[in-house]
Amino acid sequence: MTTNESGPKLFRLVDANLNRLKEGIRVIEDINRYIFDNRSVASKLKSLRHLAKIDNYLKILPHRDIQNDVLKKSIETELKRESVESLLLANYKRAQEAARVLEEAFKLIDAKKSEDFKTIRYELYALEQKNLTEKAENG
């Protein structure tokens, strides 16, 4: 993984969004696995989480800088969820947004990997629709 564009700052952006993507997917996966007992959706999410792996991860890790993250403090709307469905929705959106950032960032680094993140994003859109409409229909 090499780039001349923004170097360490780009790696910091990739690290933060890779974490955000995988964490968001994991929350959705675990809700489907442990609360909804939905093997199909949980398995698809697990596959997406594994697709989000990047080569040379150890090259970006030194560029993590949580101490200087200017927005690390949670805002009030992030501190409360109304239901399991609101958890799902928040984490679908979190993961979709992170996938988009990674898709764009990897256009500077690795076009093939950029396409992987695009695939992840579109799969998350489809799973969100299926997951939340099935839940609403089934009560």
Side-chain angles (χ1 to χ4, degrees):
M1 184 162 146
T2 59
T3 182
N4 293 330
E5 301 289 332
S6 302
K9 295 288 188 176
L10 184 62
F11 292 159
R12 182 179 176 206
L13 177 134
V14 167
D15 176 59
N17 280 281
L18 190 60
N19 289 334
R20 187 175 291 132
L21 173 63
K22 292 177 98 171
E23 291 162 357
I25 291 173
R26 175 60 89 168
V27 170
I28 302 163
E29 179 185 337
D30 282 356
I31 288 170
N32 278 281
R33 179 179 178 182
Y34 298 115
I35 296 176
F36 298 159
D37 297 316
N38 190 330
R39 179 190 305 255
S40 172
V41 173
S43 293
K44 287 178 186 173
L45 289 158
K46 183 177 182 179
S47 294
L48 290 178
R49 198 168 35 79
H50 287 281
L51 182 59
K53 181 181 179 230
I54 63 169
D55 294 332
N56 302 318
Y57 179 71
L58 294 178
K59 282 189 175 182
I60 69 166
L61 196 54
H63 303 288
R64 182 176 294 166
D65 187 9
I66 56 174
Q67 293 79 15
N68 292 310
D69 182 345
V70 297
L71 292 176
K72 72 179 171 187
K73 185 176 180 184
S74 295
I75 60 174
E76 191 172 326
T77 58
E78 295 172 322
L79 298 175
K80 186 175 181 187
R81 299 287 185 245
E82 302 299 321
S83 64
V84 171
E85 290 76 18
S86 69
L87 281 175
L88 278 175
L89 184 58
N91 281 281
Y92 268 114
K93 293 307 175 198
R94 178 180 201 216
Q96 291 160 355
E97 291 164 3
R100 180 58 181 209
V101 172
L102 290 164
E103 175 187 341
E104 293 298 323
F106 271 88
K107 289 177 181 178
L108 298 171
I109 301 167
D110 178 347
K112 164 69 176 92
K113 200 63 194 172
S114 174
E115 286 297 314
D116 286 347
F117 289 114
K118 182 177 184 178
T119 297
I120 291 168
R121 183 168 56 90
Y122 278 98
E123 286 291 324
L124 286 168
Y125 291 150
L127 284 169
E128 173 188 33
Q129 181 184 29
K130 178 181 188 287
N131 204 191
L132 290 170
T133 56
E134 280 179 359
K135 182 64 183 133
E137 289 168 0
N138 296 331

